Amino acid sequence: MSSSSAQLIYQGKTLNLPVLSGSDGPDVLDIRELYSSLNLFTYDPGFTVTANCESKITFIDGEDGRLLYRGYPIQQLAEHSDFMEVSYLLLYGNLPNITEKEKFVSCVTRHGMVHEQIRNFYGGFRRDAHPMAIMVGVVGALSAFYHDSLDIKDPRQREIASYRLLAKMPTLAAMAYKYSLGQPFVYPQNSLGYSANFLRMMFAVPCEDYIVNPVLAKAMDRILILHADHEQNASTATVRLAGSSGANPFACIAAGIAALWGPAHGGANEAVLNMLSEIGDVSRIPEYIKRAKDKNDPFRLMGFGHRVYKNYDPRAAVMRESCYEVLNEMGVKNDPLLVLALELERIALEDEYFISKKLYPNVDFYSGIIFKAMGIPASMFTVIFALARTVGWVAQWMEMIADPLQKIGRPRQLYQGVVERNYTEINKRV
Ligand code: SDX
């Protein structure tokens, strides 16, 4: 909806650009006529101030540190809801009633198994392959098996593909972990909830019963809620761009997994733990704070800063609470890494550099400490982030595909290369 306009005067021409308003957040300048009218592109490396779509799914207020899924504050969902219910909310726009929730959970649960031949892919990887490398491979390969849910023009096939992705990610993720250990894969157990099922597939062995710790299952479920969606972050934008070409949903999610892997994005939780281990002792924190501030040093304080949040990441606050609960449950409340993380957070938040640049702990700062306390290796942290974010990626993909204005994404550039020149034969070159 156009609320007003902005006037651009360039080389003697005047162009009135519509300003569009959303239901919350900044207005946007609609520049779609810019090139045809003034032969101009816009320039915004990293899309720091560029809206690439309209969306109704997630809203972030970076200044106030607010995060809403379909209008519900993340803190309320983390406290009162569960991951299956939040998944329904993200996919369908409203919280389910009892019947809707039971039907949704039942359907997702029954898609938890994977085709038996998918197990063969794992055998092709080295045992020490990073599990994210495995996930990129096997999730993309799902499109080789589920041909009845590849037609993205069919809403029912889109829905089935979404359920399959949501349901099979925990199974594939746990299989990647089991493969790294040389332990047998564990099939999903339909009598368990989503997060409990994942923990059982991760830690059960055939030779004894495995009872899921309800405190850990609840903590995992809350972590999945916190990571489920985050508007147009790098991996979600990747999924949308891949989907805009008409690629099948499994390929699009594999692209999202690849983008999430980077340490500047979803790979930060693993990088935080590696950083804390490298710092090793509270006495060395000043040395690393100094390095983080040094423009000539590539070191960054992992788990700090955010492209959008210039306030405390609301997810980090909830994660911090979960941290205490899990460490207490596991009897490691004085975990040296947590002690180190809390001291690092305290020092950083008092440092002028971090204050002036509005660098606060983000969602990745505490998650690694919780996962480690649960017995999950650092290499699996980003896999769990991908597991959680799959429902957000799928919801955003579904929204894009259903948008009648949707077209293939195709950014332009500011060309700085050599201007046109003619080919010269090799014997005439200097
Ligand atoms: C996620 O987009 C999302 O929504 C992502 C995510 C999601 O849910 O999908 O929230 C998940 O990816 C969280 C972020 C996880 N990454 C990390 O924790 C890695 C460490 N953080 C930094 O790499 C950085 O903060 C980014 C990548 C997160 C943001 O990078 P930006 O947008 O370039 O940061 P900025 O422009 O706000 O930086 C402002 C200044 C810069 O210095 P100057 O050029 O102004 O001198 O702060 C500096 C940056 O160099 N800075 C840091 C820093 N983060 C930014 N300096 C030291 N340590 C840091 N962590």
Side-chain angles (χ1 to χ4, degrees):
M1 176 184 73
S2 176
S3 58
S4 58
S5 66
Q7 196 172 72
L8 182 60
I9 299 168
Y10 176 68
Q11 291 183 342
K13 288 183 184 174
T14 300
L15 176 64
N16 288 313
L17 293 168
V19 173
L20 310 179
S21 297
S23 53
D24 201 338
D27 289 347
V28 300
L29 185 65
D30 182 345
I31 56 165
R32 284 174 285 187
E33 298 303 318
L34 190 61
Y35 180 61
S36 58
S37 301
L38 297 182
N39 196 38
L40 281 175
F41 292 154
T42 57
Y43 185 61
D44 180 21
F47 310 119
T48 55
V49 292
T50 294
N52 70 337
C53 65
E54 287 189 69
S55 181
K56 298 177 181 171
I57 299 172
T58 293
F59 177 72
I60 300 172
D61 180 332
E63 298 307 321
D64 292 344
R66 287 192 304 142
L67 168 57
L68 311 177
Y69 289 168
R70 300 286 189 177
Y72 293 98
I74 191 68
Q75 296 89 339
Q76 294 180 24
L77 294 171
E79 184 176 350
H80 301 298
S81 191
D82 60 56
F83 183 65
M84 279 288 95
E85 186 173 80
V86 167
S87 295
Y88 184 98
L89 171 67
L90 289 169
L91 288 171
Y92 295 106
N94 290 299
L95 289 170
N97 61 34
I98 294 173
T99 308
E100 289 165 335
K101 183 172 181 179
E102 283 172 356
K103 182 169 176 253
F104 178 73
V105 172
S106 170
C107 191
V108 170
T109 300
R110 278 157 182 73
H111 277 290
M113 285 202 337
V114 295
H115 190 294
E116 276 297 291
Q117 284 178 225
I118 286 175
R119 301 159 71 98
N120 300 335
F121 286 109
Y122 287 76
F125 291 102
R126 287 173 41 152
R127 290 281 180 181
D128 61 353
H130 195 292
M132 283 295 277
I134 295 176
M135 293 302 286
V136 171
V138 297
V139 172
L142 291 176
S143 53
F145 288 84
Y146 300 108
H147 298 133
D148 62 340
S149 58
L150 296 181
D151 178 1
I152 61 170
K153 294 181 181 58
D154 178 346
R156 181 60 190 139
Q157 290 199 33
R158 296 202 298 264
E159 188 173 50
I160 294 171
S162 305
Y163 283 30
R164 281 176 164 149
L165 282 159
L166 182 55
K168 297 179 192 311
M169 281 295 282
T171 309
L172 296 170
M175 288 168 72
Y177 176 58
K178 285 303 197 187
Y179 183 73
S180 72
L181 298 176
Q183 289 185 359
F185 299 141
V186 176
Y187 286 98
Q189 180 58 254
N190 289 354
S191 61
L192 294 175
Y194 191 89
S195 297
N197 215 349
F198 173 59
L199 290 175
R200 182 179 171 278
M201 289 189 282
M202 284 279 290
F203 297 117
V205 288
C207 30
E208 57 190 34
D209 291 340
Y210 179 81
I211 307 299
V212 179
N213 180 327
V215 172
L216 301 190
K218 175 66 183 165
M220 179 59 75
D221 207 70
R222 186 181 299 149
I223 288 169
L224 298 184
I225 290 173
L226 295 174
H227 288 80
D229 194 48
H230 213 235
E231 61 144 83
Q232 306 313 316
N233 58 85
S235 53
T236 299
T238 300
V239 170
R240 278 180 172 262
L241 197 56
S244 73
S245 74
N248 73 69
F250 304 104
C252 295
I253 299 308
I257 294 171
L260 185 75
W261 194 357
H265 189 15
N269 49 24
E270 179 178 359
V272 167
L273 211 76
N274 295 338
M275 174 189 73
L276 292 173
S277 303
E278 183 185 335
I279 294 173
D281 186 81
V282 170
S283 63
R284 297 187 66 197
I285 290 177
E287 170 197 340
Y288 281 85
I289 294 276
K290 184 167 182 285
R291 285 187 58 193
K293 291 153 59 170
D294 179 358
K295 283 289 160 245
N296 299 316
D297 189 327
F299 175 78
R300 286 285 176 273
L301 213 50
M302 291 291 106
F304 267 78
H306 198 277
R307 172 60 57 78
V308 175
Y309 288 123
K310 301 310 172 190
N311 197 321
Y312 212 97
D313 182 335
R315 302 168 296 176
V318 179
M319 199 70 82
R320 200 171 193 254
E321 286 171 38
S322 270
C323 216
Y324 286 113
E325 283 172 21
V326 171
L327 294 180
N328 279 331
E329 176 66 21
M330 302 306 284
V332 288
K333 61 184 175 183
N334 295 319
D335 180 290
L337 284 180
L338 177 63
V339 171
L340 189 57
L342 289 172
E343 182 59 7
L344 177 61
E345 180 190 35
R346 185 190 66 77
I347 294 173
L349 292 181
E350 290 174 356
D351 186 288
E352 185 45 37
Y353 173 91
F354 291 89
I355 294 169
S356 63
K357 294 181 184 295
K358 299 182 178 179
L359 302 176
Y360 294 87
N362 59 46
V363 68
D364 293 300
F365 188 66
Y366 287 102
S367 52
I369 299 165
I370 300 177
F371 290 144
K372 181 176 178 293
M374 289 180 173
I376 296 170
S379 61
M380 283 294 294
F381 294 177
T382 310
V383 172
I384 294 171
F385 193 151
L387 189 173
R389 186 54 58 88
T390 293
V391 67
W393 287 331
V394 165
Q396 299 271 351
W397 172 77
M398 296 265 274
E399 183 179 68
M400 180 206 62
I401 295 288
D403 181 349
L405 296 179
Q406 185 266 325
K407 57 176 68 174
I408 188 167
R410 205 307 187 181
R412 302 307 300 269
Q413 63 179 11
L414 174 63
Y415 178 66
Q416 297 286 18
V418 177
V419 295
E420 189 172 337
R421 56 182 169 173
N422 296 315
Y423 182 81
T424 50
E425 296 300 330
I426 192 165
N427 56 12
K428 294 178 181 165
R429 296 172 208 158
V430 296

